[in-house]
Amino acid sequence: MSEVVRWRATITYRKTGRLRYLGHLDVARAMERAVRRAALPVAYSEGYNQRMRLSFGPPLPLGAEGEGEIVVATLTAKLPESEVLWRLGAQLPADLGVVTVTVEPAAGPTALNLIRTALWRMQLAAEPSLTRGELAQAAAAVMSAQQLALRDNDKVTDVRQGIVYVEAGSREAPLELTALLGASGHNYLSPDKLLRLLESLLPRPATLRWTRLVRVRFET
Amino acid sequence: MLADDVLLHVETPGRYVDGEINAVAKPHAKVRLALCYPDVYQVGMDHLGTLILYHVANSREEVAAERCFAPWPDFARALRELGQPLATLETRTPLRDCDLVGFTLQYELTYPTLLAMLEMGGVPARATERRGSEPIVIAGGPGATNPEPLAPFVDLFCIGDGEELLDELLARFEDLQEELGPRRKWGPKQREAALGALAEIEGVYWPAAYELEEVEGHLIPRGGLRAKGQVTARLVGNLESAPFPTAPPVPWVETVHNRGQLEIARGCTRGCRFCHAGMFYRPVRERSPQTLAKQAAELVNNTGYEELSLVALNCPDHRHIEQVIEAVQKAVMGRGVSLGLPSLRVDSFSVQLARKIAQVRRGGMTFAPEAGTQRLRDVINKNVTEQDLLTAVEAAFAAGWLTVKLYFMIGLPTETQEDVAEIGRLINHVASTGRTALGRKAGRMQINVSLAAFNPKPHTPFQWCGQAPREYLEEARARLRQTVRDPAVRLSFHDFGQSLVEAAISRGDRRIGRAIEAARRAGAYLDAWGEFFDLSRWQEALSQTGRTAQEWACRHIPVDAPLPWDIIHLGVTKQFLALEYEKALKGQTTPDCREGKCHSCGVSRRVIGCRGVLPEVLEA
């Protein structure tokens, strides 16, 4: 098989509004169909099951929003970034809108390989209700700990290394939380696990759940 | 407005999210039509008829056609708890605020869901309980060819092809809003006038206008002051010029089939005697390779679908099927799109076709011999021999398929124990043929056999026959399970209880409406889903009609007795159906009229050149 020059489009997009209720596979399919409608010169895998060469970042929990989600498309021809942005953007609703596009030769690690952390913002509901101070106390306990064990089914793991930082917001209602969490393949921590951990460190027993969850961006 | 939070706590919330690509929202339209599918989104969004009507209705400037599907029980409960009525997807208009609420009748077991959707949408289910200002409820599709079971709930039935009929109905409705004032302000008089005016349209059946007469145990709709007599089904003559949706809404969530659809032909004249579609959609009408290529390109450009499916009752029967495949393949070349060809007849030509298009992706190959012996296949007029089947299976395995699916029916008219035993022998024969053909790959062979009870349908040559009793079907199932022990074969039997209810409803009269209502009251909802179907609930409900489920489903009707669905005329005459029934009992076959002489089914009285390439429908 002859070597062809390939290009790589790294696309960041939003997943907001009511489209936050779409699953990861639904979004992947919608994106693939948008790329086909836009008639971008995208590469396909070889073999019987031809698949469009698109790679996605880690899934968002169902119901969570994303402001800087990433998809990497392999292209068979070079296109100006503005043209990819324009053509693909025209095929997507605002709630799945394209934010940025970079096009470069397909060599070396992709943006997805370089992801180390994700910045999350969330609004919380506590049962029974908590004060901002109590939440901040639990967040501070996380930050000062060297190790933090979390029980998941029968497995107990140390999740401290998955937390770069976590801090409570300034409002009392709704309670807010900002966290920079591991988002790479070998060091991933979900916001739900963070909440389970915080529950165990609260000054009095309460359950926490997010009512709004936003993955603001990935960081390298 | 529904609190979005609810969606965090229900299954597959994406199916309740509007704004799909190509969805049409017209918040300020003068006429709002809800196109309802009485099952969940993932089933309803695959229904081509709904997509066609969505396109037809929205092509009218003043009309907004909006979709509505049955919510899964968790979401239905949430709506109820919040006091929210069931609403359309596009503008979230409650059904009670739509002008027209339309349902497609694809399957009898969805009928209680239809009632439930009306209730959830704030529309009284009984037509007589609706006030003048409330929506007009219409229904169409194959189930409407026996409208009687749903007659108490539906104001107007639309019989036959819907493209032209719905357009005319909407045009008339627009005029009526001028003549009678806005629908919201109608009283009983205006409503009556509107129903009467709409019922004048050819193909529209207004059940409330008819008087019922009991004849030989059936309630037969007869004349009435405002009744127009027999209603003839509408027929679109030329598919080439018929409207077709090349920009249908693209679901966000995964639907059952989840692909673009290209209707290459409508109708089938092979004349299988059990087949409702084969009588309902006559004559055969085809689209040309050129038109299909154009539509395929548009469909991919507008939807981005990764798979297109050619749709027809029997794709290989298209006169130019090879050119169709070639033209469509060429039109979507290089776009990463695969083609699908469902519904195959049993021959090696079909396998060659499937092989041609399955270069991208391959599933199993499906064949439907329907019966185990040649005698019985002749009775049902399935003109296929055992050799045809074995050759086709061999060809499929030789072409690289590893999975084959077979369809059979049990309890067919005149069926004997030997016929059933022969199904088992035939399956075993297919398995051994497959092993030989596959050689060292034989270990990976899989034969999925689907068996269902024969279900007599109105407007078919077997409309007079009863379904086989439950005990007979269960015994046949047990015997087949004993005979077929090949580890590569998987037998799956359609639920006999569901078949029983389907048969009771499909040939029922207006009394069945009471049973549907009673079943709904007892909780029937989404009954096509095995997990929600409750046979005892239906038996109880049906017995309120004065007959048991078994008595309705299994009854034989004398050929000369008037039938509740005689009020509907499909083009095929009752004399033809009776003659076909008579020939069936003698084991005589009737060949496809497109390959030989005309059998005078009746369609030629309405359609010039009905066996030709460009049939032309005569004005009524």
Side-chain angles (χ1 to χ4, degrees):
Chain A
M1 218 172 292
S2 64
E3 273 302 307
V4 280
V5 184
R6 302 237 153 156
W7 297 84
R8 182 191 287 153
T10 304
I11 298 155
T12 62
Y13 64 96
R14 272 187 293 268
K15 182 188 178 190
T16 53
R18 281 167 69 85
L19 295 192
R20 70 187 184 277
Y21 294 113
L22 302 189
H24 185 64
L25 291 177
D26 297 335
V27 170
R29 207 184 307 109
M31 196 58 74
E32 183 177 330
R33 289 170 178 170
V35 168
R36 189 174 285 108
R37 289 194 297 274
L40 297 180
V42 68
Y44 287 88
S45 65
E46 311 285 340
Y48 266 149
N49 285 312
Q50 278 200 12
R51 299 294 310 183
M52 199 180 275
R53 301 262 308 249
L54 298 182
S55 312
F56 290 85
L60 275 170
L62 198 67
E65 294 163 73
E67 289 176 352
E69 297 299 295
I70 301 178
V71 55
V72 176
T74 307
L75 302 180
T76 56
K78 187 178 187 210
L79 278 189
E81 290 167 348
S82 60
E83 193 178 336
V84 175
L85 186 86
W86 174 252
R87 273 164 64 179
L88 186 60
Q91 296 300 334
L92 288 164
D95 280 337
L96 216 53
V98 179
V99 184
T100 63
V101 175
T102 54
V103 176
E104 60 195 352
T110 72
L112 298 172
N113 303 135
L114 300 174
I115 292 174
R116 296 169 66 94
T117 54
L119 178 66
W120 298 87
R121 288 218 176 94
M122 55 191 108
Q123 296 181 342
L124 302 179
E127 183 64 41
S129 67
L130 292 174
T131 63
R132 194 206 78 87
E134 287 167 313
L135 183 66
Q137 210 177 318
V142 168
M143 292 312 294
S144 61
Q146 295 297 313
Q147 279 192 337
L148 285 165
L150 185 70
R151 195 181 185 88
D152 188 11
N153 293 323
D154 290 334
K155 229 172 76 190
V156 180
T157 45
D158 174 34
V159 293
R160 179 60 185 87
Q161 59 156 354
I163 304 166
V164 181
Y165 71 80
V166 53
E167 56 187 41
S170 54
R171 290 162 67 177
E172 284 289 346
L175 291 173
E176 287 176 334
L177 208 60
T178 304
L180 189 64
L181 304 177
S184 65
H186 59 274
N187 183 21
Y188 184 89
L189 189 72
S190 72
D192 279 312
K193 277 197 180 155
L194 175 69
L195 294 185
R196 297 294 81 72
L197 190 65
L198 288 168
E199 282 170 354
S200 70
L201 297 168
L202 286 168
R204 61 195 170 94
T207 57
L208 293 171
R209 68 181 171 87
W210 52 263
T211 52
R212 187 165 179 220
L213 176 62
V214 183
R215 183 155 65 193
V216 183
R217 62 173 179 267
F218 291 107
E219 295 184 356
T220 54
Chain B
M1 184 74 68
L2 175 70
D4 275 356
D5 282 4
V6 170
L7 293 180
L8 267 182
H9 309 290
V10 299
E11 255 181 81
T12 324
R15 61 183 143 183
Y16 309 114
V17 173
D18 55 318
E20 303 109 306
I21 301 298
N22 299 329
V24 181
K26 297 184 191 171
H28 306 296
K30 283 191 186 149
V31 175
R32 204 164 301 281
L33 160 71
L35 286 174
C36 305
Y37 194 99
D39 206 322
V40 298
Y41 181 95
Q42 292 98 315
V43 174
M45 275 302 287
D46 283 338
H47 178 236
L48 183 57
T50 296
L51 299 179
I52 291 175
L53 297 179
Y54 186 75
H55 168 66
V56 165
N58 277 320
S59 300
R60 297 193 68 84
E61 205 180 322
E62 306 286 357
V63 175
E66 308 187 359
R67 294 158 298 149
C68 183
F69 301 94
W72 197 248
D74 59 355
F75 191 55
R77 203 176 315 120
L79 288 174
R80 197 165 54 238
E81 281 164 8
L82 290 163
Q84 298 275 350
L86 181 64
T88 59
L89 264 180
E90 281 80 356
T91 60
R92 298 195 225 175
T93 304
L95 294 185
R96 64 170 180 239
D97 294 330
C98 294
D99 297 297
L100 296 152
V101 175
F103 285 92
T104 182
L105 310 177
Q106 298 293 315
Y107 182 32
E108 291 80 355
L109 287 185
T110 65
Y111 293 177
T113 308
L114 182 156
L115 269 57
M117 286 176 76
L118 286 174
E119 289 160 16
M120 288 189 276
V123 181
R126 281 223 164 230
T128 48
E129 282 166 22
R130 290 197 276 269
R131 283 171 297 147
S133 59
E134 284 179 309
I136 289 177
V137 176
I138 61 178
T145 62
N146 178 14
E148 291 305 295
L150 282 178
F153 316 105
V154 173
D155 292 307
L156 302 170
F157 288 92
C158 301
I159 316 291
D161 291 333
E163 288 97 334
E164 293 167 0
L165 174 45
L166 182 64
D167 192 53
E168 285 167 33
L169 190 125
L170 291 168
R172 193 74 192 88
F173 193 87
E174 284 173 30
D175 293 344
L176 285 169
Q177 301 239 66
E178 303 285 321
E179 292 161 28
L180 305 169
R183 187 264 317 161
R184 262 166 266 266
K185 293 185 178 156
W186 287 356
K189 247 188 180 162
Q190 283 92 341
R191 184 184 183 85
E192 185 86 359
L195 290 173
L198 295 171
E200 281 169 20
I201 298 168
E202 196 196 341
V204 174
Y205 173 56
W206 182 19
Y210 292 74
E211 282 157 14
L212 295 172
E213 192 183 329
E214 180 152 1
V215 189
E216 296 179 48
H218 285 129
L219 292 182
I220 308 293
R222 288 273 164 91
L225 276 179
R226 301 159 304 170
K228 65 177 179 185
Q230 204 183 35
V231 175
T232 303
R234 291 296 291 270
L235 191 63
V236 170
N238 189 346
L239 276 197
E240 283 285 276
S241 55
F244 190 77
T246 53
V250 182
W252 293 125
V253 297
E254 180 137 35
T255 62
V256 176
H257 293 300
N258 202 19
R259 57 196 177 194
Q261 300 184 65
L262 271 180
E263 189 187 26
I264 68 169
R266 195 177 293 179
C268 171
T269 42
R270 296 199 154 245
C272 298
R273 290 172 178 138
F274 55 83
C275 180
H276 182 263
M279 301 296 152
F280 183 36
Y281 296 106
R282 285 182 181 219
V284 176
R285 292 146 286 164
E286 297 177 345
R287 283 198 172 91
S288 69
Q290 297 85 328
T291 301
L292 290 164
K294 185 168 161 282
Q295 292 180 344
E298 286 176 21
L299 202 51
V300 171
N301 287 338
N302 293 333
T303 65
Y305 272 125
E306 55 287 331
E307 185 179 352
L308 294 188
S309 174
L310 306 184
V311 178
L313 285 173
N314 213 340
C315 287
D317 280 350
H318 191 293
R319 286 179 182 84
H320 306 291
I321 183 64
E322 284 166 305
Q323 291 94 312
V324 166
I325 291 172
E326 209 171 294
V328 170
Q329 271 179 334
K330 207 172 146 203
V332 301
M333 201 180 306
R335 308 289 304 269
V337 176
S338 68
L339 274 195
L341 185 89
S343 60
L344 290 177
R345 62 183 198 215
V346 185
D347 61 18
S348 47
F349 174 67
S350 301
V351 177
Q352 282 168 28
L353 287 180
R355 184 181 188 173
K356 211 179 248 178
I357 69 165
Q359 283 150 356
V360 184
R361 203 175 298 167
R362 32 181 63 180
M365 278 285 270
T366 304
F367 301 108
E370 309 290 6
T373 60
Q374 195 58 48
R375 184 200 70 79
L376 193 52
R377 284 193 296 271
D378 288 346
V379 167
I380 63 176
N381 204 42
K382 186 89 195 180
N383 292 316
V384 162
T385 65
E386 181 159 340
Q387 196 50 52
D388 291 336
L389 176 64
L390 295 175
T391 310
V393 167
E394 255 173 0
F397 286 131
W401 270 272
L402 292 165
T403 303
V404 160
K405 192 164 184 186
L406 303 176
Y407 281 102
F408 288 99
M409 275 189 276
I410 46 180
L412 283 161
T414 80
E415 184 178 283
T416 63
Q417 294 221 350
E418 197 209 327
D419 295 306
V420 177
E422 285 295 293
I423 293 176
R425 192 197 51 79
L426 188 53
I427 294 168
N428 289 330
H429 200 166
V430 166
S432 61
T433 306
R435 276 215 174 75
T436 316
L438 280 172
R440 59 189 173 80
K441 283 196 284 183
R444 287 157 68 199
M445 175 181 77
Q446 202 181 328
I447 297 169
N448 297 329
V449 186
S450 176
L451 300 106
F454 158 69
N455 235 310
K457 292 288 177 186
H459 303 284
T460 66
F462 289 159
Q463 62 181 349
W464 296 281
C465 305
Q467 186 173 67
R470 185 83 192 260
E471 309 76 62
Y472 172 93
L473 297 169
E474 274 164 6
E475 203 198 311
R477 173 171 61 193
R479 263 187 290 137
L480 280 169
R481 285 216 189 279
Q482 253 171 19
T483 339
V484 183
R485 305 226 147 202
D486 194 306
V489 177
R490 217 186 60 207
L491 296 183
S492 60
F493 290 85
H494 188 77
D495 186 305
F496 294 144
Q498 285 182 320
S499 296
L500 177 77
V501 174
E502 181 185 342
I505 297 174
S506 73
R507 293 190 306 145
D509 65 17
R510 214 170 281 198
R511 280 169 293 191
I512 292 288
R514 245 178 276 156
I516 296 169
E517 200 172 38
R520 168 61 202 147
R521 273 203 203 110
Y525 186 62
L526 297 180
D527 272 15
W529 296 75
E531 65 221 84
F532 299 128
F533 177 79
D534 179 350
L535 180 60
S536 58
R537 179 157 61 202
W538 274 104
Q539 282 168 326
E540 169 69 28
L542 280 158
S543 66
Q544 296 183 23
T545 61
R547 272 187 209 158
T548 65
Q550 180 121 339
E551 280 166 346
W552 279 108
C554 306
R555 76 196 194 282
H556 286 263
I557 305 173
V559 174
D560 52 7
L563 300 166
W565 53 92
D566 281 347
I567 198 68
I568 304 299
H569 177 54
L570 295 191
V572 174
T573 62
K574 203 174 174 185
Q575 292 90 317
F576 172 74
L577 298 178
L579 186 68
E580 278 295 294
Y581 182 34
E582 207 183 304
K583 284 173 81 177
L585 297 178
K586 291 188 207 150
Q588 293 171 359
T589 60
T590 302
D592 189 336
C593 65
R594 295 208 302 174
E595 287 159 12
K597 71 178 187 67
C598 167
H599 307 297
S600 304
C601 70
V603 169
S604 68
R605 292 184 203 169
R606 298 182 61 205
V607 186
I608 302 177
C610 56
R611 293 188 292 150
V613 185
L614 279 176
E616 193 185 323
V617 181
L618 294 168
E619 294 292 321

